[in-house]
Amino acid sequence: MAKSTGQFILERLADWGIKRIYGYPGDGINGLLGAFHEVGDRIEFTQTAHEEIAAFAATAHAKFTGEVGVCMGTSGPGAIHLLNGLYDARLDHQPVVAIVGQQKRMGLGSNYQQEVDLVSLYKDVAHEFVQVCMVPQQAPHLIDRAIRIAKSTRSVTAIIVPDDVAEMDYEEPPREHGAVYSQVGFPNPPRVVPREEDIRRAAEVLNAGERVAMLVGAGAFGAAREVKEVADILGCGVAKALNGKAALPDDLPFVTGSIGLLGTKPSNDMMENCDTLLMVGTGFPYSEWLPEPGQARGVQIDLDGRMVGIRYPTEVNLIGDAAETLRALIPHLKRKQDRSWREQIEANVRRWWEILEDRAHQSADPLNPQLVFHELSQRLPDRCILTADSGSGTNWWARHLKVREGMQAALSGTLATMCPAVPYALAAKFAYPDRPVIAAVGDGAMQMLGINALIDVGKYWERWSDPRLIVLVLNNRDLNQVTWEQRVLAGDPKLEASQVIPDFPFARYAEMLGFKGIRVDSPEAVAPAWEEALAADRPVVYEAVTDPEVPPLPPHIRFEQASGLARALAKGEPEALRIVKQSLKGKLTEFMNR
């Protein structure tokens, strides 16, 4: 029997090494779904409870493995549901291919049911490549180009497959004018290294500096050895953008941790006092947390020439792979003999960890969220994978969790969308079934999508050799990050109509799914609960009932932020006294730990 075009598409993806497609069914992809019967175990359709989960999982697969992630959705509504997860991939520069269905060709343009102009819809998120498979003979080069472009540009690509085309018998392209031939295969990535004269110019800037600061991001993954060597030669500290949290271990004495509103005081102090800035593989967007223009000379390394010179007025921009470029740079760098700057940074880092420990043990009603992360940090299993959502909990995740060598961590860094933490954890377990995975998520995102993703965890967890997938839910009945943004950025008191969310029994819901559910609402129960969760023989939901008025204090409170909060308090903020009390506790620890 002749194979269908849908079968050919799946086999072609398998030829490229794709083993899993995350998706949700619909009649617009019937021709593709039916073909899974024919391809056997070469490629697996992994059903998720929502297309958004599928797109997040494909994005996480790309982040954790470096491979192309693939997701699938039906025409119209399914394709629309994929978009948020695909934008997460696009903004964090991850290779993801989306395969979406479409109504039969003869109905297009007739205002047919579920007919959406998918090319226009996807032209932004898949701006590098989005095409409709109009005839079976197109399928080879569309699949090949979608994967090649996703890999080479680290971007989202999309193929739209009308259902009648997927059901048609596959035909090879004819040998005639207008036909295109293609083949599976992609070479190893090229060595991208700047020119020697640019390397020398960068070295001159770095050698001239007396107080060098380094900032690394996701582009520095795989370059940890080179980053450490450069930091040692230059006598500098290393701050990390959120996407680069696992690029360098936190237990190194010169690693200052995260930067920005979610950052640390050592990172902020280093940026405010440096005279030279070296940025490696990062597009950290917030200029107010970088040195003032004119304060520091700058060097930037990035593989993408479009990303250099747009965050700080850098003097020398080096376009190249982080590890290769740093290796080329190292022979030209001169070791700083005066180590006082480095010693100051390391002293600040030691003091900061003490401050965080003290903050974690401050009283709250009922639980201080910082304590939950502090106790987890001390118990993180080797080789664990950490995922985070977007919210106030991201502050504690970024600051308190001390990532060690061999661990991985990911979140929605640039889109900063709610809801990826649990889908990311699901994909991490499929990619590495022998590694423990811990997701941190707020109750808002958990109610929005996380409880649905738990259904997927329940469906698949018994396939994993290490069943440990722990979902930490911060239950404070408040959309907490936005609440604090209303107070600090807009100067408005909390709008309860928009911010208060219903209580939900997350731990009991987990037990209904066959997981272990643990509900913690007292400080003395936090550590034993982590011991219990990490020893479990099944997935766990760790529900921590936390105080929403513990402020996610930035490393340095700027005048605009302080005045905004003051306006909110003056306008009748209902929790004014608790906010002042908790804020004073947090800042006093900085003065006590000197």
Side-chain angles (χ1 to χ4, degrees), residues 2 47 55 73 120 159 173 176 204 211 266 291 320 337 370 401 405 441 463 474 480 513 515:
Q47 182 203 80
S120 296
I159 304 169
E176 64 182 46
E204 290 172 4
R211 300 183 305 280
Q337 298 305 312
Q370 297 169 102
L401 295 188
E405 188 171 353
V441 60
R463 298 170 53 172
L474 301 178
N480 201 233
L513 295 174
F515 304 162

Side-chain angles (χ1 to χ4, degrees), residues 99 105 316 371 393 528 586 594:
I99 299 175
R105 292 170 298 169
V316 182
L371 179 65
R594 289 197 180 278

Side-chain angles (χ1 to χ4, degrees), residues 53 128 147 180 209 224 235 319-320 361 374 415 490 508 517 538 560:
I53 298 173
E128 294 287 355
I147 293 180
V180 174
I319 300 172
H361 287 91
H374 175 76
L415 185 61
R508 281 197 286 130
R538 63 195 58 233
E560 296 84 358

Side-chain angles (χ1 to χ4, degrees), residues 4-7 9-10 24-38 45 72-75 99-104 114 161-168:
S4 70
T5 302
Q7 181 181 343
I9 288 173
L10 297 184
Y24 197 82
D27 62 359
I29 52 173
N30 276 346
L32 289 161
L33 294 174
F36 278 96
H37 292 295
E38 309 303 324
F45 182 86
M72 182 180 290
T74 188
S75 57
I99 299 175
V100 295
Q102 180 57 290
Q103 294 303 316
K104 290 179 169 59
Q114 295 190 335
V161 186
D163 194 39
D164 58 323
V165 175
E167 293 173 344
M168 294 173 68

Side-chain angles (χ1 to χ4, degrees), residues 44 51 58-59 96 102 148 185 202 208 302 307 399 408 411 433 449 460 525 532 553 563 566:
E44 179 180 355
E51 288 93 349
T59 300
V96 171
Q102 180 57 290
R148 283 198 186 99
D302 203 289
M307 296 300 295
R399 294 176 187 153
Q408 289 181 274
L411 77 170
L449 193 68
Y460 297 113
E532 183 181 359
L553 291 170
S563 61

Side-chain angles (χ1 to χ4, degrees), residues 52-53 56-57 60 63-64 84 88 373 385-391 393-394 397 409-413 416-429 437-443 445-446 449-451 453-454 457 469-474:
E52 187 175 0
I53 298 173
F56 278 136
K63 288 184 174 184
F64 288 127
N84 193 45
D88 182 33
F373 286 88
I385 300 174
L386 305 171
T387 71
D389 223 279
S390 299
T394 319
W397 185 87
L411 77 170
S412 176
T417 180
M418 293 171 67
C419 299
V422 185
Y424 272 28
L426 176 72
K429 288 301 294 188
V437 176
I438 305 170
V441 60
D443 49 1
M446 200 65 189
L449 193 68
I451 56 177
L454 281 184
V457 174
L469 189 158
I470 303 171
V471 179
L472 164 63
V473 184
L474 301 178

Side-chain angles (χ1 to χ4, degrees), residues 8 27 50 60 79 124 168 183 213 251 262 273 286 408 413 423 433 440 448 465 496 499-500 512 519 557 570:
F8 173 83
D27 62 359
H50 193 287
D124 182 51
M168 294 173 68
Q183 183 57 44
D251 53 8
L262 281 63
N273 294 288
Y286 304 116
Q408 289 181 274
M448 186 183 288
S465 55
E496 296 198 357
Q499 297 310 108
V500 175
M512 290 172 58
R519 192 174 190 269
I557 297 178

